Amino acid sequence: MATPPTLPVTNQQAVQSQPPINTPAFRTFFSRLSTSIRDGLSQRRPWTELVDRSSMARPESLTDALSRIRKNLAYFKVNYVAIVSLVLAFSLFSHPLSLLVLLGLLSAWMFLYLFRPSDQPLVVFGRTFSDRETLLALVLSTIVVVFMTSVGSLLTSALMVGVAIVCVHGAFVVPDDLFLDDQEPANAGLLSFLGGSATSAAAAVSGRV
């Protein structure tokens, strides 16, 4: 009786799959972002000072209101950013579908372009997409989501409400001389906060553009 032929067996070594994102860049970005946010929030003014009714008065004219807004923006800028952010967050959580769409768009930017390893091409249904094609698809998707769905109008409405709250508060709070004395350190804190986030984002995408 003939023995069945022996099938050749090849030694297959386990190949460590590459992570879907560039982990070091991902961690560095969020580390710098969290540090920038903490540094920025450390420059916020006491919330009790923000709602102190004794410092509020009706502006005498439009010029006076604009002057107050300008000075209060320089003094309460971190608090105002927090207020606008809270309005945006409340609006998004009140509309879960829009929140999911926005989170999906942000995730696509992060995992498909910003933090994807540069030596790992994007392959969808057997087709390989270059970085330029991926970027174009993401830009077009962003335009569709922002301008052709309810997400864009929701964000615009929330921003308008937040800015209106800031302007009304800034117009009715009478700035003191202390505001001008503290402008410089407050400006430095906010610039560090915004600049740190921008630098982190630029460092994450520097290898792709």
Side-chain angles (χ1 to χ4, degrees), residues 83-121:
I83 290 173
V84 174
S85 300
L86 287 175
V87 173
L88 283 171
F90 178 78
S91 299
L92 288 173
F93 280 107
S94 301
H95 299 78
L97 182 59
S98 297
L99 177 61
L100 290 176
V101 171
L102 187 60
L103 289 177
L105 180 63
L106 293 176
S107 299
W109 272 100
M110 292 173 59
F111 291 97
L112 298 182
Y113 188 78
L114 293 178
F115 301 111
R116 181 172 52 84
S118 56
D119 57 347
Q120 182 178 349

Side-chain angles (χ1 to χ4, degrees), residues 83-162:
I83 290 173
V84 174
S85 300
L86 287 175
V87 173
L88 283 171
F90 178 78
S91 299
L92 288 173
F93 280 107
S94 301
H95 299 78
L97 182 59
S98 297
L99 177 61
L100 290 176
V101 171
L102 187 60
L103 289 177
L105 180 63
L106 293 176
S107 299
W109 272 100
M110 292 173 59
F111 291 97
L112 298 182
Y113 188 78
L114 293 178
F115 301 111
R116 181 172 52 84
S118 56
D119 57 347
Q120 182 178 349
L122 178 63
V123 180
V124 180
F125 298 114
R127 187 185 186 283
T128 302
F129 292 86
S130 65
D131 284 344
R132 181 173 297 181
E133 292 173 328
T134 304
L135 177 61
L136 179 61
L138 288 172
V139 169
L140 292 177
S141 300
T142 302
I143 293 174
V144 171
V145 168
V146 172
F147 294 102
M148 300 183 182
T149 67
S150 60
V151 174
S153 59
L154 177 65
L155 293 177
T156 302
S157 301
L159 282 173
M160 292 177 63
V161 171

